[in-house]
Amino acid sequence: AAQSWTCAVCGSLLGEHFHADHIVPWSDSYDDRDSNLQVICASPCHLAKTSREASCRRRAQVRSRHEALDTPTCSDMESDRA
């Protein structure tokens, strides 16, 4: 009701397929308070948001492994070429 039945991402009127979404991913915050929840379209909005969040997590994990091993990342090598 607070969102007037519109997607918090694209603003479209929600149909019968929508998802409750954590604004800050639950895996990062463990926060189930109403202030961290929003209703968004199942597709494409929630699928795209989840995909972006997963990509960010994977990049952070790779970066962390490189730092632990003290090996250069792709971006380190690109900056060395400049």
Side-chain angles (χ1 to χ4, degrees), residues 4-75:
S4 302
W5 293 99
T6 58
C7 174
V9 175
C10 71
S12 295
L13 191 61
L14 294 170
E16 63 182 76
H17 300 289
F18 59 89
H19 291 169
D21 173 64
H22 289 86
I23 297 166
V24 176
W26 185 86
S27 59
D28 294 340
S29 66
Y30 305 106
D31 183 1
D32 283 329
R33 291 177 293 170
D34 288 346
S35 61
N36 190 40
L37 297 173
Q38 61 185 352
V39 180
I40 62 177
C41 301
S43 178
C45 295
H46 195 233
L47 293 175
K49 181 177 182 284
T50 302
S51 178
R52 280 192 312 273
E53 291 166 350
S55 292
C56 287
R57 272 193 292 283
R58 281 192 299 274
R59 281 194 303 271
Q61 289 170 344
V62 168
R63 217 175 4 258
S64 177
R65 277 190 233 124
H66 282 285
E67 290 169 358
L69 297 172
D70 199 28
T71 59
T73 62
C74 294
S75 59

